[in-house]
Amino acid sequence: MESAIAGVVRHLGASLKNRGLYPPTHPLVRTPVEKCRMELAPFFADRSELALTVSDGTLVLEGVPIFQLTSSLELFMARLGAIGLPAVIFERGVSVEDIELFVRFLHETKEQGLPIPQIKERLARWGVTHIRVTATEEEEKDDFTLAREIYGNALNVVVRALKDVRNGKTPDGAESDRAVREMSGMVSRNRDAMLALTLIKNFDEYTYNHSVNVSVLSLAVAETLGLAETERIAVGVAGLLHDVGKTQLALDLIRKPGTLTVEEFEEIKKHPEEGFAILGKMTHIHESTRSVVREHHMRFDRTGYPRPEPEYRMNPHSYVIAVADCYDALTTMRSYQKARTPQQALEIMRKLAGKSLDPDLVELMERSLGIYPVGTMVRLSTMEVGVVTGTPDGGKGEPKVAILFDRSGNPLATPQGVDLKESDPSSGRPRRMILGTVNPLMHPPVSISGVLQTLSG
Ligand SMILES: [Fe+2]
Ligand SMILES: [Fe+2]
């Protein structure tokens, strides 16, 4: 068995190495892949998958360490390590095409330390079906844990970036780019898990959470819009850094509750241009990201700031940030403003549509979040109170709801997921319907990602 194992990996390594030397159709690239597929076949006689992992710098196939390293094997391991792939799983049914595409992926991927969700997304897009990647050889992390890690990482990136600017340093644009790529991957993979986290509103550290939330919301809108990946990332980075220019303003001005004086407002109005200047010094920043940061308060009807000249052409993606920015600000409690529910926020935004906000995007936002966005507390016709845990079919279908409180208002021991399509056999009518939203402040705070995790577990 050991020699067969070594053979599998040796062929992979050889094909990878030869890809760097010959055209992809060359026999020296293709033949090792075919041999690899042949060597794999006997393993699947009594198992459905085969795990290849790198642990402590040693390549391990199905628990058997491979010590005889050839140069092609070393190259193979180095590529796995550089991309950030600790474990690769070959499934029964793996084809020569799967292996070939996987080798191509290893060869062509130039990014270092790619997040697993993104690797998965890329492989899926390429049509690789029977080769899986995981974070570790152990259990895969569930989406909610992963989403939380990704959110937390983006938050750290923002904190670091703003701190750098305050200290007169230029933030590392590659970090923002990477954080947004991770979030984008997670939005495509499990939008609800990622959106649920935007409900984190931290009053003291408003700017940090706000920046990450605007990025996630913009990514969700960008995806519903069907933007290409590069554009989605550019929009997401703009969301993450849209208020970076505020670091140039006095802290007590940013935190000032209530209305600003005319002079103070003139100060605030400088932050988009300041942001534009800061982004200009950063690496890995797309040109359109810069313009969007400059334009995020210009408004759809061009009445905002900095006031555009009549012939100035605005980047349409600036309107995406504007709707995300508005939605997150409205749903956040500030010292001078109570937090609106998502419905109230969307209602206000509908009134702004065509004025400060792009009407199409307001509609799209509503569609991409659903009528009852994830995290909305709802009262059902049974008088039970639940929380929306998912928005299927782009918000058009019935939302998924988990009941948290029974009809008398007593909390359930564990949230109970219910199907709103389920009907009462005696009357044929739906057993439960949503009557309306409930003010979340009337109930003890609910960790939506905790609920989601309980339901998925
Ligand atoms: Fe702003
Ligand atoms: Fe903002």
Side-chain angles (χ1 to χ4, degrees):
M1 168 160 153
E2 252 165 82
S3 69
I5 284 175
V8 167
V9 190
R10 205 176 48 242
H11 296 314
L12 281 171
S15 177
L16 178 65
K17 187 178 168 192
N18 292 339
R19 253 197 191 257
L21 306 169
Y22 307 101
T25 47
H26 195 280
L28 283 173
V29 178
R30 177 81 183 182
T31 316
V33 168
E34 284 164 359
K35 284 191 182 152
C36 172
R37 170 71 193 86
M38 261 154 59
E39 298 262 19
L40 276 168
F43 289 104
F44 295 121
D46 59 354
R47 71 188 85 204
S48 57
E49 50 185 53
L50 206 68
L52 178 66
T53 59
V54 178
S55 107
D56 291 334
T58 309
L59 201 54
V60 181
L61 188 64
E62 276 303 291
V64 180
I66 295 155
F67 293 116
Q68 303 152 309
L69 287 185
T70 59
S71 66
S72 52
L73 260 184
E74 270 180 40
L75 170 75
F76 180 72
M77 234 172 83
R79 289 300 307 136
L80 284 186
I83 297 171
L85 259 184
V88 182
I89 293 161
F90 298 91
E91 296 173 350
R92 183 188 285 151
V94 63
S95 65
V96 171
E97 281 65 39
D98 285 329
I99 302 169
E100 193 161 35
L101 284 170
F102 184 68
V103 171
R104 189 183 136 202
F105 167 81
L106 291 180
H107 178 65
E108 289 182 9
T109 304
K110 296 290 172 261
E111 294 101 320
Q112 303 252 318
L114 267 184
I116 301 290
Q118 214 181 311
I119 298 176
K120 287 186 175 171
E121 195 215 17
R122 199 171 292 183
L123 289 174
R125 204 157 12 108
W126 283 23
V128 179
T129 48
H130 289 90
I131 300 178
R132 253 179 29 236
V133 298
T134 67
T136 61
E137 54 198 291
E138 296 121 42
E139 259 306 89
E140 270 183 68
K141 284 185 186 160
D142 67 87
D143 286 355
F144 305 102
T145 313
L146 215 56
R148 241 201 312 254
E149 281 176 15
I150 289 172
Y151 186 100
N153 174 45
L155 199 62
N156 287 337
V157 169
V158 174
V159 170
R160 232 183 345 258
L162 300 198
K163 206 156 115 204
D164 279 346
V165 179
R166 280 210 180 90
N167 294 333
K169 286 197 284 188
T170 303
D172 181 359
E175 277 194 352
S176 298
D177 183 84
R178 209 177 307 132
V180 169
R181 280 175 196 278
E182 284 186 11
M183 293 196 288
S184 173
M186 201 62 208
V187 166
S188 317
R189 179 186 156 103
N190 191 332
R191 178 181 291 216
D192 293 334
M194 204 66 223
L195 279 177
L197 294 166
T198 65
L199 299 168
I200 301 175
K201 310 286 187 182
N202 190 329
F203 181 63
D204 292 328
E205 305 294 353
Y206 171 68
T207 314
Y208 303 138
N209 285 100
H210 171 67
S211 304
V212 180
N213 293 347
V214 170
S215 183
V216 174
L217 292 162
S218 316
L219 285 168
V221 173
E223 204 197 45
T224 313
L225 265 176
L227 297 188
E229 194 191 4
T230 346
E231 291 184 290
R232 291 205 307 268
I233 302 302
V235 170
V237 174
L240 196 67
L241 300 173
H242 75 286
D243 277 339
V244 72
K246 284 196 178 167
T247 43
Q248 307 298 76
L249 308 174
L251 273 179
D252 44 350
L253 178 58
I254 305 169
R255 294 195 183 136
K256 188 185 166 180
T259 29
L260 302 169
T261 65
V262 175
E263 295 75 34
E264 285 169 339
F265 190 47
E266 286 306 314
E267 270 308 293
I268 291 278
K269 280 182 176 177
K270 292 179 185 158
H271 83 270
E273 285 287 8
E274 299 279 8
F276 181 73
I278 295 165
L279 263 67
K281 287 185 267 175
M282 294 169 64
T283 60
H284 294 81
I285 299 291
H286 208 275
E287 203 39 51
S288 82
T289 302
R290 273 188 91 196
S291 336
V292 168
V293 168
R294 173 194 257 163
E295 297 168 6
H296 77 276
H297 287 293
M298 272 187 191
R299 295 182 162 181
F300 178 69
D301 59 7
R302 304 165 74 95
T303 58
Y305 59 87
R307 182 63 57 92
E309 297 292 329
E311 68 278 6
Y312 184 88
R313 294 253 315 253
M314 274 179 74
N315 187 321
H317 297 167
S318 302
Y319 308 138
V320 174
I321 303 295
V323 287
D325 194 13
C326 182
Y327 180 83
D328 188 65
L330 286 170
T331 50
T332 305
M333 186 183 73
R334 313 287 290 276
S335 53
Y336 50 89
Q337 159 195 304
K338 62 176 179 20
R340 267 87 166 199
T341 63
Q343 280 68 37
Q344 290 168 329
L346 288 169
E347 200 175 306
I348 295 174
M349 288 171 68
R350 274 195 295 270
K351 291 191 184 127
L352 297 172
K355 296 174 198 153
S356 59
L357 302 175
D358 180 335
D360 293 340
L361 286 179
V362 172
E363 209 191 299
L364 197 101
M365 174 104 180
E366 217 168 329
R367 236 192 309 143
S368 91
L369 298 181
I371 322 168
Y372 297 105
V374 174
T376 310
M377 298 278 276
V378 287
R379 183 172 302 281
L380 303 177
S381 48
T382 48
M383 295 318 276
E384 293 157 311
V385 169
V387 63
V388 174
T389 55
T391 52
D393 309 334
K396 270 186 242 113
E398 287 288 359
K400 285 185 247 168
V401 172
I403 302 198
L404 304 174
F405 300 93
D406 67 15
R407 55 176 66 230
S408 320
N410 301 317
L412 303 189
T414 51
Q416 182 205 343
V418 290
D419 183 359
L420 295 182
K421 286 197 286 293
E422 189 194 325
S423 56
D424 192 336
S426 57
S427 65
R429 296 225 303 270
R431 194 185 283 272
R432 292 180 176 89
M433 284 182 300
I434 295 180
L435 288 186
T437 57
V438 175
N439 184 346
L441 299 175
M442 304 282 286
H443 294 279
V446 184
S447 152
I448 175 71
S449 45
V451 171
L452 290 167
Q453 210 152 13
T454 319
L455 293 176
S456 73

